[in-house]
Amino acid sequence: MNRIDRLFSILTFIQSKKYVPAEKIAEKFNISLRTVYRDMKALGESGIPISFEQYKGYFVMQGYFLPPVSFTSEEANAFLLMEAIVSGFGWHLIGWCHMRKEYRDFKVPRILKLTNTNLPFTINNHIALDQYMEKLPVDY
């Protein structure tokens, strides 16, 4: 069972009971306690309101309902791959550089400081942004 399927199954399992100890989750899904803790953290970080009560176990906060999802395993894995690609590569911001008097490609992770000058963009003798984008290499 891949991780997406396991996380979904764990969530369904927890929703079907009032409290579920980590040991029960580990036993049911044939995983280690450490993996249970990582999976529970991943579910919480994804926005699912999971909580833990000592001596009782994990539970989903009352009122939370997981709507049905109709992704195949391949589609879910494609989402994970896309997340890895997007988070691994820097985003780019195309903007006008007053210092060089031309459009520039700014890598967002390298931007250390932004200052709002509250001044409108008034330069008229520049190429249109779509013309600049056409000049970019094909593999951009």
Side-chain angles (χ1 to χ4, degrees), residues 39-63:
D39 286 353
M40 300 312 289
K41 182 178 180 191
L43 288 170
E45 287 174 349
S46 70
I48 297 168
I50 291 182
S51 195
F52 179 80
E53 193 167 317
Q54 195 170 7
Y55 306 116
K56 292 184 178 180
Y58 290 99
F59 64 96
V60 178
M61 298 291 243
Q62 189 174 2

Side-chain angles (χ1 to χ4, degrees), residues 33-121:
L33 280 175
R34 181 70 187 128
T35 300
V36 171
Y37 302 143
R38 280 193 301 263
D39 286 353
M40 300 312 289
K41 182 178 180 191
L43 288 170
E45 287 174 349
S46 70
I48 297 168
I50 291 182
S51 195
F52 179 80
E53 193 167 317
Q54 195 170 7
Y55 306 116
K56 292 184 178 180
Y58 290 99
F59 64 96
V60 178
M61 298 291 243
Q62 189 174 2
Y64 178 77
F65 173 73
L66 182 65
V69 179
S70 59
F71 295 123
T72 65
S73 293
E74 291 81 18
E75 290 169 331
N77 285 325
F79 280 123
L80 286 177
L81 177 62
M82 184 53 70
E83 178 196 16
I85 289 172
V86 169
S87 65
F89 291 93
W91 287 87
H92 294 256
L93 171 71
I94 306 295
W96 183 260
C97 177
H98 288 281
M99 186 173 80
R100 298 214 173 134
K101 297 181 180 19
E102 63 183 4
Y103 286 110
R104 295 280 311 278
D105 176 1
F106 299 96
K107 292 184 179 178
V108 173
R110 292 185 179 177
I111 297 174
L112 301 176
K113 182 180 177 187
L114 293 174
T115 304
N116 184 353
T117 63
N118 291 318
L119 298 174
F121 184 71

Side-chain angles (χ1 to χ4, degrees), residues 2 26-28 37 45 91 97 99 120 123 125 131 134:
N2 68 35
E27 180 184 316
K28 176 155 179 71
Y37 302 143
E45 287 174 349
W91 287 87
C97 177
M99 186 173 80
I123 298 171
N125 59 344
Q131 290 174 329
E134 288 173 4

